[in-house]
Amino acid sequence: MREAIHTVHRTNENLCGECLVQDIRRRVFSMLDRLVEDGDRVAVALSGGKDSSLALYLLSEYQSVERRKFDLMAITVDEGTAYRRSGIEAARELTRRLGVRHVVVGMRDIHGIDVAEIRSILPRRWRRSACTYCGVLRRWAINKVAREEGATKVATGHNLDDVLQTHLMNLARGDVPAMVRSGQGVRSPSPLMVPRIRPLAGVREREVAAAALHLGLPAHFGKCPLTTGMRVGFRRSIDELELAIPGIKEDLLSGLWAVIGEVRASGAIGVELRSCKLCGEPTTGEICKTCQMKLELQGLAHRPLLFPRQPQANSNY
Ligand code: SF4
Ligand code: ZN
Protein backbone atom coordinates (compact mmCIF):
# COMPACT_ATOMS: atom_id res chain seq x y z
CA MET A 1 0.00 0.00 0.00
CA ARG A 2 1.36 3.43 -0.97
CA GLU A 3 1.62 6.27 1.54
CA ALA A 4 -1.10 8.97 1.33
CA ILE A 5 0.33 12.45 0.73
CA HIS A 6 -2.84 14.45 0.07
CA THR A 7 -6.42 14.53 1.35
CA VAL A 8 -9.12 15.62 -1.09
CA HIS A 9 -10.98 18.49 0.62
CA ARG A 10 -14.52 17.60 -0.46
CA THR A 11 -14.46 13.82 0.03
CA ASN A 12 -11.76 13.41 2.69
CA GLU A 13 -10.25 10.75 0.43
CA ASN A 14 -6.54 10.10 0.97
CA LEU A 15 -4.44 9.97 -2.17
CA CYS A 16 -0.91 8.68 -2.71
CA GLY A 17 1.47 10.80 -4.82
CA GLU A 18 0.85 8.80 -7.99
CA CYS A 19 -2.96 9.03 -7.71
CA LEU A 20 -2.77 12.78 -6.94
CA VAL A 21 -0.62 13.42 -10.03
CA GLN A 22 -2.96 11.29 -12.12
CA ASP A 23 -5.97 13.29 -10.88
CA ILE A 24 -4.25 16.63 -11.58
CA ARG A 25 -3.12 15.41 -15.01
CA ARG A 26 -6.74 14.54 -15.90
CA ARG A 27 -7.99 17.99 -14.86
CA VAL A 28 -5.17 19.91 -16.54
CA PHE A 29 -5.30 17.91 -19.80
CA SER A 30 -9.03 18.50 -20.14
CA MET A 31 -8.44 22.23 -19.60
CA LEU A 32 -5.62 22.18 -22.18
CA ASP A 33 -7.97 20.52 -24.67
CA ARG A 34 -9.93 23.79 -24.57
CA LEU A 35 -6.96 26.17 -24.42
CA VAL A 36 -4.36 24.81 -26.85
CA GLU A 37 -4.88 24.56 -30.61
CA ASP A 38 -2.94 22.71 -33.29
CA GLY A 39 -0.13 24.95 -34.58
CA ASP A 40 0.16 26.97 -31.34
CA ARG A 41 3.53 28.01 -29.98
CA VAL A 42 3.10 28.08 -26.19
CA ALA A 43 5.61 30.07 -24.12
CA VAL A 44 5.57 29.22 -20.42
CA ALA A 45 6.41 32.11 -18.09
CA LEU A 46 8.78 30.03 -15.98
CA SER A 47 9.94 31.51 -12.68
CA GLY A 48 11.46 28.29 -11.35
CA GLY A 49 8.83 28.11 -8.59
CA LYS A 50 6.63 25.04 -8.08
CA ASP A 51 3.62 26.39 -10.01
CA SER A 52 5.19 27.38 -13.31
CA SER A 53 7.50 24.33 -13.14
CA LEU A 54 4.49 21.99 -12.83
CA ALA A 55 2.69 23.89 -15.61
CA LEU A 56 5.68 23.39 -17.93
CA TYR A 57 6.05 19.73 -16.94
CA LEU A 58 2.37 18.96 -17.64
CA LEU A 59 2.41 20.92 -20.91
CA SER A 60 5.43 18.88 -21.97
CA GLU A 61 3.57 15.64 -21.08
CA TYR A 62 0.48 16.92 -22.91
CA GLN A 63 2.65 17.60 -25.96
CA SER A 64 4.09 14.08 -25.84
CA VAL A 65 0.66 12.38 -25.85
CA GLU A 66 -0.11 14.34 -29.06
CA ARG A 67 -3.67 15.41 -28.28
CA ARG A 68 -2.58 18.67 -29.94
CA LYS A 69 0.42 19.47 -32.14
CA PHE A 70 2.13 22.56 -30.76
CA ASP A 71 5.57 24.01 -29.93
CA LEU A 72 6.64 24.61 -26.38
CA MET A 73 9.23 27.00 -24.95
CA ALA A 74 9.92 28.79 -21.66
CA ILE A 75 10.76 32.40 -20.76
CA THR A 76 12.29 33.45 -17.45
CA VAL A 77 12.65 37.06 -16.33
CA ASP A 78 15.53 37.68 -13.95
CA GLU A 79 14.20 40.44 -11.68
CA GLY A 80 17.59 40.81 -10.01
CA THR A 81 16.69 39.44 -6.57
CA ALA A 82 18.53 36.81 -4.53
CA TYR A 83 15.26 34.85 -4.34
CA ARG A 84 15.04 34.60 -8.13
CA ARG A 85 18.61 33.28 -8.54
CA SER A 86 17.77 29.81 -7.19
CA GLY A 87 14.61 29.82 -9.31
CA ILE A 88 16.62 30.47 -12.46
CA GLU A 89 18.93 27.53 -11.72
CA ALA A 90 15.87 25.29 -11.19
CA ALA A 91 14.29 26.59 -14.42
CA ARG A 92 17.49 25.82 -16.37
CA GLU A 93 17.63 22.32 -14.96
CA LEU A 94 13.97 21.57 -15.73
CA THR A 95 14.08 22.88 -19.31
CA ARG A 96 17.29 20.89 -19.89
CA ARG A 97 15.61 17.70 -18.62
CA LEU A 98 12.51 18.27 -20.76
CA GLY A 99 14.48 19.43 -23.84
CA VAL A 100 12.53 22.71 -24.01
CA ARG A 101 13.98 25.94 -25.45
CA HIS A 102 14.57 28.39 -22.60
CA VAL A 103 15.10 32.15 -22.90
CA VAL A 104 16.30 34.09 -19.83
CA VAL A 105 16.03 37.88 -19.95
CA GLY A 106 17.15 40.42 -17.37
CA MET A 107 14.63 43.00 -16.17
CA ARG A 108 17.51 45.47 -16.06
CA ASP A 109 18.44 44.75 -19.71
CA ILE A 110 14.87 45.45 -20.82
CA HIS A 111 13.75 48.28 -18.53
CA GLY A 112 17.07 49.70 -17.27
CA ILE A 113 16.21 48.89 -13.64
CA ASP A 114 15.68 45.77 -11.54
CA VAL A 115 13.75 44.95 -8.38
CA ALA A 116 16.78 45.15 -6.10
CA GLU A 117 17.29 48.76 -7.19
CA ILE A 118 13.56 49.56 -7.06
CA ARG A 119 13.51 48.44 -3.42
CA SER A 120 16.48 50.62 -2.61
CA ILE A 121 15.02 53.83 -4.10
CA LEU A 122 11.42 53.64 -2.85
CA PRO A 123 10.82 56.15 -0.04
CA ARG A 124 9.25 54.91 3.18
CA ARG A 125 5.45 54.65 3.01
CA TRP A 126 5.51 55.07 -0.79
CA ARG A 127 2.12 54.47 -2.41
CA ARG A 128 3.26 51.36 -4.28
CA SER A 129 5.38 48.40 -3.21
CA ALA A 130 8.37 46.99 -5.11
CA CYS A 131 6.17 43.94 -5.81
CA THR A 132 3.62 46.09 -7.69
CA TYR A 133 6.33 47.53 -9.95
CA CYS A 134 7.88 44.10 -10.40
CA GLY A 135 4.62 42.45 -11.48
CA VAL A 136 3.86 45.08 -14.12
CA LEU A 137 7.41 45.34 -15.51
CA ARG A 138 7.76 41.56 -15.62
CA ARG A 139 4.44 41.05 -17.46
CA TRP A 140 5.47 43.62 -20.08
CA ALA A 141 8.84 41.85 -20.56
CA ILE A 142 7.27 38.41 -20.94
CA ASN A 143 4.76 39.68 -23.50
CA LYS A 144 7.54 41.36 -25.51
CA VAL A 145 9.83 38.30 -25.52
CA ALA A 146 6.93 35.91 -26.23
CA ARG A 147 5.90 38.01 -29.22
CA GLU A 148 9.48 38.19 -30.52
CA GLU A 149 9.71 34.40 -30.18
CA GLY A 150 6.54 33.97 -32.26
CA ALA A 151 4.49 32.61 -29.33
CA THR A 152 0.73 32.42 -29.86
CA LYS A 153 -0.05 31.84 -26.14
CA VAL A 154 1.69 32.61 -22.86
CA ALA A 155 1.06 29.98 -20.17
CA THR A 156 1.46 31.06 -16.57
CA GLY A 157 1.66 28.92 -13.43
CA HIS A 158 -1.27 30.62 -11.65
CA ASN A 159 -3.13 28.03 -9.58
CA LEU A 160 -6.74 28.07 -8.35
CA ASP A 161 -5.82 30.04 -5.21
CA ASP A 162 -3.92 32.69 -7.22
CA VAL A 163 -6.74 33.13 -9.74
CA LEU A 164 -9.37 33.43 -7.01
CA GLN A 165 -7.30 36.01 -5.10
CA THR A 166 -6.80 38.06 -8.28
CA HIS A 167 -10.51 38.09 -9.15
CA LEU A 168 -11.51 39.06 -5.61
CA MET A 169 -8.88 41.81 -5.50
CA ASN A 170 -10.20 43.21 -8.80
CA LEU A 171 -13.74 42.96 -7.44
CA ALA A 172 -12.74 44.84 -4.28
CA ARG A 173 -11.27 47.61 -6.48
CA GLY A 174 -14.38 47.62 -8.68
CA ASP A 175 -12.11 46.87 -11.65
CA VAL A 176 -14.60 44.89 -13.76
CA PRO A 177 -12.64 45.41 -17.05
CA ALA A 178 -9.60 43.74 -15.42
CA MET A 179 -11.78 40.81 -14.32
CA VAL A 180 -13.15 40.40 -17.82
CA ARG A 181 -9.69 40.64 -19.40
CA SER A 182 -8.20 38.07 -17.06
CA GLY A 183 -10.17 35.07 -18.36
CA GLN A 184 -8.50 32.08 -20.03
CA GLY A 185 -6.98 32.79 -23.47
CA VAL A 186 -8.88 36.07 -23.88
CA ARG A 187 -7.78 37.74 -27.10
CA SER A 188 -6.97 41.41 -26.88
CA PRO A 189 -8.15 43.60 -29.77
CA SER A 190 -4.43 44.34 -30.18
CA PRO A 191 -2.21 41.83 -32.00
CA LEU A 192 0.64 43.02 -29.77
CA MET A 193 -0.81 41.24 -26.74
CA VAL A 194 -0.15 37.50 -26.65
CA PRO A 195 -3.20 35.71 -25.11
CA ARG A 196 -2.58 34.19 -21.67
CA ILE A 197 -3.63 30.77 -20.47
CA ARG A 198 -3.54 29.29 -16.94
CA PRO A 199 -3.38 25.50 -17.17
CA LEU A 200 -3.37 25.11 -13.34
CA ALA A 201 -6.41 27.32 -12.71
CA GLY A 202 -8.38 24.27 -11.52
CA VAL A 203 -5.65 22.98 -9.19
CA ARG A 204 -5.23 24.17 -5.61
CA GLU A 205 -1.90 25.51 -4.41
CA ARG A 206 -1.44 22.64 -1.90
CA GLU A 207 -2.09 20.10 -4.64
CA VAL A 208 0.49 21.79 -6.87
CA ALA A 209 3.09 21.69 -4.09
CA ALA A 210 2.42 18.02 -3.27
CA ALA A 211 2.53 17.00 -6.94
CA ALA A 212 5.73 18.94 -7.67
CA LEU A 213 7.40 17.32 -4.67
CA HIS A 214 6.21 13.86 -5.62
CA LEU A 215 7.48 14.31 -9.18
CA GLY A 216 10.84 15.55 -7.88
CA LEU A 217 10.70 18.64 -10.10
CA PRO A 218 13.66 20.97 -9.77
CA ALA A 219 11.81 23.97 -8.35
CA HIS A 220 11.88 26.18 -5.32
CA PHE A 221 8.92 26.02 -3.01
CA GLY A 222 9.11 29.23 -0.98
CA LYS A 223 7.06 32.37 -1.59
CA CYS A 224 8.78 35.46 -2.91
CA PRO A 225 9.57 37.45 0.26
CA LEU A 226 8.54 40.68 -1.47
CA THR A 227 4.87 39.66 -1.94
CA THR A 228 2.96 42.40 -0.18
CA GLY A 229 -0.32 44.11 0.42
CA MET A 230 -3.82 43.04 -0.45
CA ARG A 231 -2.88 39.63 -1.84
CA VAL A 232 -1.46 38.39 1.47
CA GLY A 233 -4.64 39.48 3.28
CA PHE A 234 -6.91 37.84 0.71
CA ARG A 235 -4.89 34.61 0.81
CA ARG A 236 -5.23 34.35 4.61
CA SER A 237 -8.93 35.27 4.62
CA ILE A 238 -9.86 32.81 1.86
CA ASP A 239 -7.95 30.02 3.65
CA GLU A 240 -9.91 30.77 6.84
CA LEU A 241 -13.19 30.77 4.94
CA GLU A 242 -12.25 27.43 3.42
CA LEU A 243 -11.75 25.95 6.90
CA ALA A 244 -15.31 26.96 7.80
CA ILE A 245 -16.86 26.02 4.42
CA PRO A 246 -14.87 23.26 2.69
CA GLY A 247 -15.00 23.59 -1.09
CA ILE A 248 -15.79 27.32 -1.02
CA LYS A 249 -12.73 28.12 -3.17
CA GLU A 250 -14.04 26.16 -6.16
CA ASP A 251 -17.59 27.48 -5.59
CA LEU A 252 -16.44 31.12 -5.42
CA LEU A 253 -14.29 30.75 -8.52
CA SER A 254 -16.99 29.12 -10.61
CA GLY A 255 -19.47 31.78 -9.42
CA LEU A 256 -17.09 34.54 -10.45
CA TRP A 257 -16.46 32.90 -13.82
CA ALA A 258 -20.22 32.73 -14.41
CA VAL A 259 -20.53 36.47 -13.68
CA ILE A 260 -17.53 37.29 -15.90
CA GLY A 261 -18.99 35.17 -18.70
CA GLU A 262 -22.30 37.08 -18.49
CA VAL A 263 -20.55 40.47 -18.55
CA ARG A 264 -18.38 39.44 -21.49
CA ALA A 265 -21.34 38.04 -23.43
CA SER A 266 -23.32 41.25 -22.86
CA GLY A 267 -20.53 43.24 -24.56
CA ALA A 268 -20.90 45.85 -21.81
CA ILE A 269 -17.14 46.21 -21.37
CA GLY A 270 -15.68 47.38 -24.65
CA VAL A 271 -12.29 49.07 -24.68
CA GLU A 272 -10.80 51.37 -27.22
CA LEU A 273 -7.06 50.86 -27.49
CA ARG A 274 -4.35 53.13 -28.81
CA SER A 275 -0.55 52.97 -28.85
CA CYS A 276 1.37 54.10 -25.80
CA LYS A 277 3.27 57.26 -26.74
CA LEU A 278 6.45 55.94 -25.15
CA CYS A 279 6.62 52.21 -25.87
CA GLY A 280 3.94 51.59 -28.51
CA GLU A 281 2.15 48.94 -26.42
CA PRO A 282 -1.66 48.99 -26.48
CA THR A 283 -3.21 51.16 -23.80
CA THR A 284 -6.51 52.82 -23.07
CA GLY A 285 -4.86 56.18 -22.28
CA GLU A 286 -1.91 58.12 -23.71
CA ILE A 287 0.78 56.29 -21.75
CA CYS A 288 0.55 52.65 -20.66
CA LYS A 289 0.69 51.57 -17.02
CA THR A 290 4.21 50.13 -17.41
CA CYS A 291 5.60 53.40 -18.78
CA GLN A 292 3.75 55.43 -16.12
CA MET A 293 5.44 53.32 -13.47
CA LYS A 294 8.83 53.66 -15.16
CA LEU A 295 8.44 57.44 -15.28
CA GLU A 296 7.81 57.37 -11.51
CA LEU A 297 10.88 55.18 -10.97
CA GLN A 298 12.98 57.38 -13.25
CA GLY A 299 12.16 60.34 -11.02
CA LEU A 300 13.10 58.39 -7.90
CA ALA A 301 16.31 56.98 -9.43
CA HIS A 302 17.37 60.39 -10.87
CA ARG A 303 18.53 58.82 -14.12
CA PRO A 304 16.93 57.75 -17.42
CA LEU A 305 15.46 54.25 -17.71
CA LEU A 306 14.99 52.29 -20.95
CA PHE A 307 11.76 52.72 -22.94
CA PRO A 308 12.12 50.21 -25.81
CA ARG A 309 9.51 50.74 -28.53
CA GLN A 310 7.55 47.86 -29.95
CA PRO A 311 8.00 47.06 -33.65
CA GLN A 312 4.36 47.48 -34.68
CA ALA A 313 3.86 50.56 -32.58
CA ASN A 314 1.77 52.34 -35.17
CA SER A 315 -0.59 49.53 -36.04
CA ASN A 316 -4.29 50.31 -35.89
CA TYR A 317 -6.37 48.31 -33.50
FE1 SF4 B 1 8.01 40.22 -8.25
FE2 SF4 B 1 6.07 40.43 -6.42
FE3 SF4 B 1 6.29 38.20 -7.89
FE4 SF4 B 1 8.11 38.76 -6.00
S1 SF4 B 1 5.91 38.34 -5.68
S2 SF4 B 1 8.54 38.06 -8.11
S3 SF4 B 1 8.24 40.96 -6.15
S4 SF4 B 1 5.79 40.25 -8.65
ZN1 ZN C 1 4.23 52.23 -22.63
Side-chain angles (χ1 to χ4, degrees):
M1 184 159 163
R2 283 179 285 195
E3 190 191 349
I5 65 161
H6 181 75
T7 305
V8 182
H9 58 282
R10 280 187 193 268
T11 58
N12 267 338
E13 187 188 359
N14 292 321
L15 295 184
C16 70
E18 206 40 55
C19 292
L20 173 67
V21 170
Q22 188 54 33
D23 185 52
I24 292 175
R25 189 180 283 127
R26 181 185 51 74
R27 277 180 271 161
V28 171
F29 280 17
S30 84
M31 187 166 283
L32 290 174
D33 284 344
R34 284 183 280 125
L35 299 178
V36 177
E37 295 158 290
D38 285 335
D40 264 342
R41 180 164 172 77
V42 179
V44 177
L46 181 65
S47 67
K50 64 182 189 321
D51 303 283
S52 55
S53 299
L54 184 65
L56 176 64
Y57 177 85
L58 290 173
L59 269 158
S60 167
E61 272 197 341
Y62 184 74
Q63 188 184 39
S64 66
V65 298
E66 298 190 348
R67 279 155 80 147
R68 297 282 184 274
K69 296 206 181 322
F70 64 100
D71 276 345
L72 188 58
M73 63 164 300
I75 301 169
T76 301
V77 176
D78 180 357
E79 299 99 353
T81 60
Y83 168 80
R84 181 59 69 227
R85 265 192 288 284
S86 59
I88 291 173
E89 284 317 307
R92 287 210 167 101
E93 171 62 17
L94 180 63
T95 48
R96 195 187 53 74
R97 274 194 208 173
L98 299 175
V100 168
R101 173 172 162 72
H102 185 208
V103 177
V104 181
V105 289
M107 186 179 277
R108 179 170 286 279
D109 297 330
I110 290 191
H111 294 298
I113 194 163
D114 61 20
V115 177
E117 186 181 353
I118 293 173
R119 284 190 77 196
S120 72
I121 59 172
L122 288 189
R124 278 171 65 87
R125 298 182 189 282
W126 187 246
R127 60 181 179 275
R128 297 188 218 274
S129 66
C131 177
T132 305
Y133 290 103
C134 174
V136 171
L137 268 54
R138 194 170 54 143
R139 210 170 308 128
W140 192 99
I142 285 172
N143 188 62
K144 170 186 160 63
V145 176
R147 197 175 50 222
E148 288 171 357
E149 289 284 328
T152 53
K153 308 243 161 81
V154 168
T156 67
H158 293 108
N159 57 51
L160 186 148
D161 295 71
D162 298 326
V163 175
L164 180 57
Q165 287 154 22
T166 303
H167 281 323
L168 289 175
M169 281 160 45
N170 284 331
L171 190 64
R173 294 186 193 110
D175 195 346
V176 181
M179 290 177 75
V180 172
R181 275 198 310 270
S182 66
Q184 292 271 32
V186 173
R187 285 186 197 284
S188 161
S190 165
L192 294 181
M193 300 301 291
V194 183
R196 301 195 140 222
I197 59 173
R198 298 169 187 80
L200 303 183
V203 186
R204 289 181 172 214
E205 176 156 18
R206 289 182 63 171
E207 295 177 313
V208 172
L213 271 174
H214 175 75
L215 290 165
L217 298 184
H220 67 87
F221 287 76
K223 287 257 168 239
C224 172
L226 302 182
T227 316
T228 49
M230 230 179 180
R231 185 172 290 277
V232 176
F234 269 99
R235 184 187 302 144
R236 283 199 200 115
S237 312
I238 299 166
D239 283 345
E240 277 173 24
L241 191 59
E242 174 68 30
L243 282 178
I245 314 172
I248 192 69
K249 289 183 179 179
E250 282 79 2
D251 291 347
L252 269 177
L253 194 55
S254 62
L256 283 163
W257 269 335
V259 173
I260 290 169
E262 292 280 325
V263 176
R264 200 178 290 143
S266 76
I269 307 283
V271 281
E272 205 179 304
L273 293 178
R274 9 181 180 164
S275 290
C276 168
K277 278 192 164 170
L278 293 176
C279 74
E281 286 282 353
T283 174
T284 48
E286 298 247 299
I287 295 178
C288 74
K289 192 162 150 194
T290 309
C291 290
Q292 284 174 23
M293 288 196 175
K294 284 202 283 185
L295 288 173
E296 275 176 23
L297 292 170
Q298 195 166 255
L300 294 167
H302 305 294
R303 65 177 176 79
L305 302 190
L306 301 175
F307 287 83
R309 281 195 72 83
Q310 302 303 345
Q312 304 163 48
N314 295 320
S315 59
N316 294 321
Y317 305 127

